[in-house]
Amino acid sequence: MTAYATTNQMPFSAAELTLDELNLVTGGTFTSNKYSKSFYHACGISTCYNFFDNDEFMFMGQKISYQKANEIADIANRVYNVLNEGNHGANIIGYGEAAFIRAFNSQLRLKYGIQWNGAPGCDF
């Protein structure tokens, strides 16, 4: 027979965390990142997806935050869309082509003062 003590238990009180506080105590998420891994890699962002810890991102060998990774990916997405407006099939300019790299670098230089070397990202 098992006896349970119910009289000496502390009452439970719930506390609601803000999103910033929740991000500090939680690790990886079950929701996906804003962009796919292949897209991050195409625009030079290396990724390390973690289950219990926050996902990690690097750009040209330097650690960057999730927000900065998304900002860089947003720039790449806009540049790609502008360059390829009206293009179809073989006329589409890819992420590794010189025209894309020049246009992408012009935007990166304006916002961050950096220049991408054109190397795709990878898993680290």
Side-chain angles (χ1 to χ4, degrees):
M1 175 182 228
T2 306
Y4 294 100
T6 57
T7 57
N8 293 333
Q9 291 181 353
M10 297 290 292
F12 176 76
S13 64
E16 191 170 318
L17 299 176
T18 66
L19 286 177
D20 290 334
E21 292 170 332
L22 189 60
N23 283 335
L24 291 174
V25 297
T26 61
T29 63
F30 294 104
T31 58
S32 60
N33 289 316
K34 184 172 182 180
Y35 293 101
S36 69
K37 182 189 287 193
S38 61
F39 185 77
Y40 286 123
H41 290 182
C43 54
I45 300 170
S46 295
T47 58
C48 179
Y49 289 175
N50 299 310
F51 186 74
F52 288 109
D53 200 5
N54 291 330
D55 294 340
E56 300 173 69
F57 300 91
M58 290 180 75
F59 187 69
M60 293 181 30
Q62 298 206 359
K63 267 195 161 185
I64 58 174
S65 67
Y66 173 72
Q67 290 78 16
K68 189 168 183 180
N70 287 332
E71 289 172 6
I72 292 171
D74 287 340
I75 292 170
N77 191 34
R78 283 194 303 272
V79 167
Y80 180 85
N81 289 335
V82 167
L83 287 175
N84 290 304
E85 188 173 342
N87 292 347
H88 302 285
N91 294 331
I92 292 179
I93 298 169
Y95 295 101
E97 295 185 42
F100 174 81
I101 294 169
R102 279 192 307 272
F104 186 43
N105 277 333
S106 71
Q107 298 304 304
L108 288 176
R109 201 172 303 119
L110 287 173
K111 181 145 182 150
Y112 300 111
I114 59 176
Q115 185 170 341
W116 180 40
N117 59 8
C122 59
D123 289 327
F124 66 92

